[in-house]
Amino acid sequence: MASIGVNMAKKETAQLTGECERPIGTQSGGMDQAISVMAQSGFAELIDFNPIRATDVQLPAGGTFVIAHSFAESQKAVTAAVNYNNRVVECRLAATVLGIKLGMEPQEAICSVKTLSDVEGLCISFACTRGLSDPVLAVEER
């Protein structure tokens, strides 16, 4: 961006680059773009969206990541609807069902739940009402 005289914050750049795949039909969250822009040497990054943000996670001494190129091409403009977007829809449906299971009215869940983050608070509340510290165990019990 600097090469064309544009100065943008890393968060804005990550958001913009994540949105750039959508015109070809990919309902991308932008994880690849976010880590490419927001990475810090010596840290892994916990990436959250809506709004986009990154939290540094210190790597253990001697920890190493191996990044490899598979040389496999993905024709997202051709295959997005089958290979990628179906998974996005499945995750949205699962989050909606979980919201309903945890006490949301169906219409409210359908209108407001888009990601698992949208029902995370319900999971925690549900666990607390059952005296459990792990929301996953609480939901499994239900």
Side-chain angles (χ1 to χ4, degrees), residues 11 13 16-18 22 38 40 46 58 63 68-69 80 84 98 101 109 138 141:
K11 286 182 181 183
T13 303
L16 175 64
T17 56
R22 294 188 185 135
M38 301 171 85
Q40 299 291 323
L46 172 61
Q58 181 69 54
H69 190 310
Y84 186 84
L98 184 57
K101 183 174 180 173
E141 277 188 10

PDB file of all heavy atoms in Angstrom, residues 11 13 16-18 22 38 40 46 58 63 68-69 80 84 98 101 109 138 141:
ATOM      1  N   LYS A  11      -5.112  -3.364  10.857  1.00  0.00           N
ATOM      2  CA  LYS A  11      -6.475  -3.885  10.978  1.00  0.00           C
ATOM      3  C   LYS A  11      -7.306  -3.537   9.745  1.00  0.00           C
ATOM      4  O   LYS A  11      -8.044  -4.373   9.229  1.00  0.00           O
ATOM      5  CB  LYS A  11      -7.158  -3.314  12.220  1.00  0.00           C
ATOM      6  CG  LYS A  11      -6.677  -3.896  13.515  1.00  0.00           C
ATOM      7  CD  LYS A  11      -7.447  -3.301  14.676  1.00  0.00           C
ATOM      8  CE  LYS A  11      -6.954  -3.858  15.991  1.00  0.00           C
ATOM      9  NZ  LYS A  11      -7.735  -3.336  17.110  1.00  0.00           N
ATOM     10  N   THR A  13      -6.177  -2.862   6.738  1.00  0.00           N
ATOM     11  CA  THR A  13      -5.642  -3.602   5.597  1.00  0.00           C
ATOM     12  C   THR A  13      -6.128  -5.047   5.628  1.00  0.00           C
ATOM     13  O   THR A  13      -6.547  -5.599   4.606  1.00  0.00           O
ATOM     14  CB  THR A  13      -4.104  -3.557   5.590  1.00  0.00           C
ATOM     15  OG1 THR A  13      -3.680  -2.192   5.585  1.00  0.00           O
ATOM     16  CG2 THR A  13      -3.524  -4.287   4.390  1.00  0.00           C
ATOM     17  N   LEU A  16      -9.840  -5.131   4.629  1.00  0.00           N
ATOM     18  CA  LEU A  16      -9.999  -4.883   3.197  1.00  0.00           C
ATOM     19  C   LEU A  16      -9.567  -6.092   2.366  1.00  0.00           C
ATOM     20  O   LEU A  16     -10.289  -6.525   1.465  1.00  0.00           O
ATOM     21  CB  LEU A  16      -9.188  -3.652   2.773  1.00  0.00           C
ATOM     22  CG  LEU A  16      -9.176  -3.340   1.283  1.00  0.00           C
ATOM     23  CD1 LEU A  16     -10.576  -2.996   0.790  1.00  0.00           C
ATOM     24  CD2 LEU A  16      -8.197  -2.217   0.993  1.00  0.00           C
ATOM     25  N   THR A  17      -8.418  -6.675   2.684  1.00  0.00           N
ATOM     26  CA  THR A  17      -7.936  -7.806   1.894  1.00  0.00           C
ATOM     27  C   THR A  17      -8.836  -9.029   2.065  1.00  0.00           C
ATOM     28  O   THR A  17      -9.010  -9.814   1.135  1.00  0.00           O
ATOM     29  CB  THR A  17      -6.477  -8.161   2.233  1.00  0.00           C
ATOM     30  OG1 THR A  17      -6.361  -8.426   3.638  1.00  0.00           O
ATOM     31  CG2 THR A  17      -5.541  -7.036   1.844  1.00  0.00           C
ATOM     32  N   GLY A  18      -9.420  -9.193   3.252  1.00  0.00           N
ATOM     33  CA  GLY A  18     -10.357 -10.291   3.464  1.00  0.00           C
ATOM     34  C   GLY A  18     -11.630 -10.136   2.641  1.00  0.00           C
ATOM     35  O   GLY A  18     -12.205 -11.108   2.162  1.00  0.00           O
ATOM     36  N   ARG A  22     -14.670 -11.686  -1.840  1.00  0.00           N
ATOM     37  CA  ARG A  22     -16.130 -11.815  -1.912  1.00  0.00           C
ATOM     38  C   ARG A  22     -16.718 -11.546  -3.284  1.00  0.00           C
ATOM     39  O   ARG A  22     -17.683 -12.220  -3.675  1.00  0.00           O
ATOM     40  CB  ARG A  22     -16.774 -10.957  -0.827  1.00  0.00           C
ATOM     41  CG  ARG A  22     -16.406 -11.514   0.540  1.00  0.00           C
ATOM     42  CD  ARG A  22     -17.126 -10.882   1.672  1.00  0.00           C
ATOM     43  NE  ARG A  22     -16.583 -11.434   2.916  1.00  0.00           N
ATOM     44  CZ  ARG A  22     -16.268 -10.722   3.951  1.00  0.00           C
ATOM     45  NH1 ARG A  22     -16.461  -9.421   3.942  1.00  0.00           N
ATOM     46  NH2 ARG A  22     -15.775 -11.291   5.030  1.00  0.00           N
ATOM     47  N   MET A  38      -1.104  -9.105   9.955  1.00  0.00           N
ATOM     48  CA  MET A  38      -1.020  -8.780  11.381  1.00  0.00           C
ATOM     49  C   MET A  38       0.006  -9.594  12.161  1.00  0.00           C
ATOM     50  O   MET A  38       0.190  -9.385  13.356  1.00  0.00           O
ATOM     51  CB  MET A  38      -2.408  -8.929  12.010  1.00  0.00           C
ATOM     52  CG  MET A  38      -3.435  -8.018  11.348  1.00  0.00           C
ATOM     53  SD  MET A  38      -5.130  -8.329  11.853  1.00  0.00           S
ATOM     54  CE  MET A  38      -5.192  -7.358  13.342  1.00  0.00           C
ATOM     55  N   GLN A  40       3.254 -11.074  13.983  1.00  0.00           N
ATOM     56  CA  GLN A  40       4.385 -10.486  14.700  1.00  0.00           C
ATOM     57  C   GLN A  40       5.437 -11.581  14.883  1.00  0.00           C
ATOM     58  O   GLN A  40       5.106 -12.707  15.270  1.00  0.00           O
ATOM     59  CB  GLN A  40       3.951  -9.982  16.088  1.00  0.00           C
ATOM     60  CG  GLN A  40       2.883  -8.914  16.059  1.00  0.00           C
ATOM     61  CD  GLN A  40       3.395  -7.608  15.498  1.00  0.00           C
ATOM     62  OE1 GLN A  40       4.534  -7.217  15.733  1.00  0.00           O
ATOM     63  NE2 GLN A  40       2.557  -6.934  14.727  1.00  0.00           N
ATOM     64  N   LEU A  46      -3.920 -15.008  17.707  1.00  0.00           N
ATOM     65  CA  LEU A  46      -5.321 -15.406  17.839  1.00  0.00           C
ATOM     66  C   LEU A  46      -6.106 -14.339  17.095  1.00  0.00           C
ATOM     67  O   LEU A  46      -6.116 -13.178  17.508  1.00  0.00           O
ATOM     68  CB  LEU A  46      -5.736 -15.458  19.309  1.00  0.00           C
ATOM     69  CG  LEU A  46      -7.223 -15.676  19.570  1.00  0.00           C
ATOM     70  CD1 LEU A  46      -7.701 -17.001  18.997  1.00  0.00           C
ATOM     71  CD2 LEU A  46      -7.514 -15.599  21.061  1.00  0.00           C
ATOM     72  N   GLN A  58       2.478 -15.829  22.788  1.00  0.00           N
ATOM     73  CA  GLN A  58       3.918 -16.095  22.829  1.00  0.00           C
ATOM     74  C   GLN A  58       4.196 -17.549  22.490  1.00  0.00           C
ATOM     75  O   GLN A  58       3.573 -18.457  23.042  1.00  0.00           O
ATOM     76  CB  GLN A  58       4.475 -15.782  24.215  1.00  0.00           C
ATOM     77  CG  GLN A  58       5.964 -15.999  24.356  1.00  0.00           C
ATOM     78  CD  GLN A  58       6.772 -14.976  23.564  1.00  0.00           C
ATOM     79  OE1 GLN A  58       6.580 -13.789  23.739  1.00  0.00           O
ATOM     80  NE2 GLN A  58       7.654 -15.443  22.716  1.00  0.00           N
ATOM     81  N   GLY A  63      10.019 -23.069  19.774  1.00  0.00           N
ATOM     82  CA  GLY A  63       8.850 -23.380  18.947  1.00  0.00           C
ATOM     83  C   GLY A  63       9.063 -22.927  17.516  1.00  0.00           C
ATOM     84  O   GLY A  63       9.661 -21.888  17.265  1.00  0.00           O
ATOM     85  N   ALA A  68       4.517 -24.383   4.316  1.00  0.00           N
ATOM     86  CA  ALA A  68       4.836 -25.079   3.077  1.00  0.00           C
ATOM     87  C   ALA A  68       3.837 -24.703   1.993  1.00  0.00           C
ATOM     88  O   ALA A  68       2.686 -24.380   2.292  1.00  0.00           O
ATOM     89  CB  ALA A  68       4.803 -26.587   3.308  1.00  0.00           C
ATOM     90  N   HIS A  69       4.269 -24.756   0.789  1.00  0.00           N
ATOM     91  CA  HIS A  69       3.410 -24.483  -0.358  1.00  0.00           C
ATOM     92  C   HIS A  69       3.066 -25.825  -1.000  1.00  0.00           C
ATOM     93  O   HIS A  69       3.946 -26.582  -1.394  1.00  0.00           O
ATOM     94  CB  HIS A  69       4.150 -23.588  -1.351  1.00  0.00           C
ATOM     95  CG  HIS A  69       3.275 -23.053  -2.444  1.00  0.00           C
ATOM     96  ND1 HIS A  69       2.446 -23.828  -3.213  1.00  0.00           N
ATOM     97  CD2 HIS A  69       3.096 -21.783  -2.885  1.00  0.00           C
ATOM     98  CE1 HIS A  69       1.801 -23.086  -4.086  1.00  0.00           C
ATOM     99  NE2 HIS A  69       2.184 -21.833  -3.908  1.00  0.00           N
ATOM    100  N   ALA A  80     -15.965 -22.132  -5.362  1.00  0.00           N
ATOM    101  CA  ALA A  80     -16.293 -21.595  -4.040  1.00  0.00           C
ATOM    102  C   ALA A  80     -17.620 -22.111  -3.509  1.00  0.00           C
ATOM    103  O   ALA A  80     -17.734 -22.465  -2.332  1.00  0.00           O
ATOM    104  CB  ALA A  80     -16.300 -20.065  -4.072  1.00  0.00           C
ATOM    105  N   TYR A  84     -16.127 -24.304  -0.541  1.00  0.00           N
ATOM    106  CA  TYR A  84     -15.904 -23.392   0.577  1.00  0.00           C
ATOM    107  C   TYR A  84     -17.209 -22.886   1.171  1.00  0.00           C
ATOM    108  O   TYR A  84     -17.439 -23.004   2.363  1.00  0.00           O
ATOM    109  CB  TYR A  84     -15.046 -22.199   0.137  1.00  0.00           C
ATOM    110  CG  TYR A  84     -14.680 -21.307   1.296  1.00  0.00           C
ATOM    111  CD1 TYR A  84     -13.587 -21.600   2.096  1.00  0.00           C
ATOM    112  CD2 TYR A  84     -15.454 -20.211   1.613  1.00  0.00           C
ATOM    113  CE1 TYR A  84     -13.276 -20.813   3.176  1.00  0.00           C
ATOM    114  CE2 TYR A  84     -15.150 -19.411   2.699  1.00  0.00           C
ATOM    115  CZ  TYR A  84     -14.061 -19.719   3.467  1.00  0.00           C
ATOM    116  OH  TYR A  84     -13.765 -18.946   4.547  1.00  0.00           O
ATOM    117  N   LEU A  98     -27.555 -24.244  17.798  1.00  0.00           N
ATOM    118  CA  LEU A  98     -27.023 -24.184  19.156  1.00  0.00           C
ATOM    119  C   LEU A  98     -27.691 -23.059  19.940  1.00  0.00           C
ATOM    120  O   LEU A  98     -28.052 -23.245  21.105  1.00  0.00           O
ATOM    121  CB  LEU A  98     -25.508 -23.985  19.113  1.00  0.00           C
ATOM    122  CG  LEU A  98     -24.779 -23.996  20.446  1.00  0.00           C
ATOM    123  CD1 LEU A  98     -25.032 -25.296  21.208  1.00  0.00           C
ATOM    124  CD2 LEU A  98     -23.282 -23.792  20.225  1.00  0.00           C
ATOM    125  N   LYS A 101     -31.055 -24.268  20.945  1.00  0.00           N
ATOM    126  CA  LYS A 101     -30.910 -25.301  21.980  1.00  0.00           C
ATOM    127  C   LYS A 101     -30.608 -24.679  23.343  1.00  0.00           C
ATOM    128  O   LYS A 101     -31.003 -25.194  24.373  1.00  0.00           O
ATOM    129  CB  LYS A 101     -29.789 -26.263  21.582  1.00  0.00           C
ATOM    130  CG  LYS A 101     -29.603 -27.411  22.526  1.00  0.00           C
ATOM    131  CD  LYS A 101     -28.584 -28.397  22.017  1.00  0.00           C
ATOM    132  CE  LYS A 101     -28.443 -29.541  23.001  1.00  0.00           C
ATOM    133  NZ  LYS A 101     -27.593 -30.605  22.505  1.00  0.00           N
ATOM    134  N   ALA A 109     -32.853 -16.367  16.856  1.00  0.00           N
ATOM    135  CA  ALA A 109     -31.626 -17.053  16.456  1.00  0.00           C
ATOM    136  C   ALA A 109     -31.414 -16.955  14.952  1.00  0.00           C
ATOM    137  O   ALA A 109     -30.308 -16.670  14.483  1.00  0.00           O
ATOM    138  CB  ALA A 109     -31.662 -18.514  16.901  1.00  0.00           C
ATOM    139  N   ALA A 138     -21.328 -28.756  29.276  1.00  0.00           N
ATOM    140  CA  ALA A 138     -22.700 -28.369  29.598  1.00  0.00           C
ATOM    141  C   ALA A 138     -23.619 -28.584  28.406  1.00  0.00           C
ATOM    142  O   ALA A 138     -24.726 -29.109  28.550  1.00  0.00           O
ATOM    143  CB  ALA A 138     -22.742 -26.897  30.046  1.00  0.00           C
ATOM    144  N   GLU A 141     -24.309 -32.229  27.785  1.00  0.00           N
ATOM    145  CA  GLU A 141     -25.283 -32.786  28.721  1.00  0.00           C
ATOM    146  C   GLU A 141     -26.702 -32.517  28.269  1.00  0.00           C
ATOM    147  O   GLU A 141     -27.597 -33.305  28.494  1.00  0.00           O
ATOM    148  CB  GLU A 141     -25.088 -32.174  30.115  1.00  0.00           C
ATOM    149  CG  GLU A 141     -24.009 -32.832  30.910  1.00  0.00           C
ATOM    150  CD  GLU A 141     -23.986 -32.319  32.346  1.00  0.00           C
ATOM    151  OE1 GLU A 141     -24.926 -31.600  32.757  1.00  0.00           O
ATOM    152  OE2 GLU A 141     -23.033 -32.653  33.042  1.00  0.00           O
TER     153      GLU A 141
END
